[in-house]
């Protein structure tokens, strides 16, 4: 957070490159693994690109930045593979294929690419279940939360909601009891 603040407040500082590198390092260390949020990896990638663009004359230091990009790619491929394994485990074959298919396309030289291709071959033999869009099911005997019974918020009595008459809090709607009890 402090590195980002420094970068925005002091863009002409002589310490700019050091702070950019420290910000990248902090983002990389903040990544907890494939079971967690990977947004920090993308921000680290943006930081690498920005550093390379800001200091093109200092290419001798780019080797470490290229290595950082390789690490980011490997970690993103691992996370994508883990996401695919999750969908395979829960029986969502199409979703698993999507994630496993991304790996050879985005990271063809990664060791995760070989594993993803093996998983894709296994998924090709699995049966497909058609998925239906989810729909709201209202149990019999319950109050329709979208109906205009005038019973208040979510059809709960005593909440004094909007009825058909639109009287507001505490008012009586045309559709029923509305108002405070």
């Amino acid at each position: 957070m402090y590195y980002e603040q420094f970068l925005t407040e002091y863009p002409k500082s002589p310490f700019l490159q050091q702070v950019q590198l420290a910000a990248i390092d902090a983002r990389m260390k903040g990544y907890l693994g494939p079971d967690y949020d990977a947004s920090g990896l993308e921000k680290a990638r943006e930081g690498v690109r920005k550093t390379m663009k800001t200091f093109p004359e200092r290419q001798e230091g780019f080797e470490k930045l290229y290595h950082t990009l390789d690490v980011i790619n490997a970690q993103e491929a691992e996370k994508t593979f883990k996401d695919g394994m999750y969908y395979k485990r829960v029986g969502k074959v199409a979703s698993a294929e999507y994630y496993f298919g991304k790996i050879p396309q985005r990271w063809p030289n990664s060791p995760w690419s070989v594993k993803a291709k093996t998983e894709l071959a296994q998924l090709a033999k699995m049966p497909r279940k058609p998925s239906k869009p989810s729909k709201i099911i209202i149990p019999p005997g319950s109050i329709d939360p979208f109906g205009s019974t005038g019973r208040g918020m979510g059809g709960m009595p005593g909440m004094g909601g909007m009825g058909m008459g639109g009287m507001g809090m505490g008012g009586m709607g045309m559709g029923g009891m509305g108002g405070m009890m």
Side-chain angles (χ1 to χ4, degrees):
M1 176 177 74
Y2 294 116
Y3 293 131
E4 300 299 325
Q5 181 181 3
F6 183 92
L7 293 171
T8 55
E9 290 182 12
Y10 306 105
K12 299 201 185 279
S13 170
F15 301 109
L16 185 64
Q17 185 179 23
Q18 291 172 318
V19 173
Q20 283 179 330
L21 294 174
I24 293 166
D25 189 49
R27 292 281 183 194
M28 295 298 294
K29 288 178 180 174
Y31 177 64
L32 299 174
D35 295 329
Y36 297 94
D37 181 32
S39 62
L41 291 176
E42 187 56 39
K43 289 182 181 179
R45 181 191 314 277
E46 290 171 15
V48 168
R49 289 181 180 150
K50 193 173 188 176
T51 302
M52 289 178 161
K53 186 178 178 183
T54 306
F55 302 101
E57 70 281 355
R58 299 183 187 170
Q59 291 194 2
E60 66 277 353
F62 283 8
E63 186 174 322
K64 183 179 179 190
L65 293 176
Y66 284 124
H67 175 72
T68 302
L69 286 175
D70 291 341
V71 170
I72 291 170
N73 287 333
Q75 290 174 339
E76 285 180 334
E78 180 183 10
K79 176 152 181 51
T80 304
F81 184 84
K82 284 251 197 185
D83 291 344
M85 289 301 291
Y86 165 77
Y87 284 111
K88 180 182 177 186
R89 192 171 48 252
V90 297
K92 302 286 185 181
V93 178
S95 297
E97 284 179 332
Y98 170 77
Y99 282 99
F100 290 135
K102 272 175 65 170
I103 296 170
Q105 289 177 353
R106 285 192 65 189
W107 307 286
N109 299 327
S110 168
W112 295 103
S113 180
V114 175
K115 294 177 183 180
K117 288 177 184 177
T118 304
E119 293 296 329
L120 283 169
Q122 291 176 2
L123 288 173
K125 299 173 189 172
M126 292 179 72
R128 305 288 191 269
K129 295 180 207 170
S131 62
K132 297 177 184 175
S134 62
K135 57 183 176 181
I136 298 174
I137 298 174
I138 301 170
S142 68
I143 299 170
D144 182 1
F146 302 109
S148 52
T149 61
R151 293 193 61 180
M153 298 173 61
M156 296 171 63
M159 294 302 286
M162 299 280 284
M164 290 285 287
M167 297 288 290
M169 296 298 287
M172 293 285 290
M174 290 179 59
M177 291 296 293
M180 303 301 279
M181 292 187 164

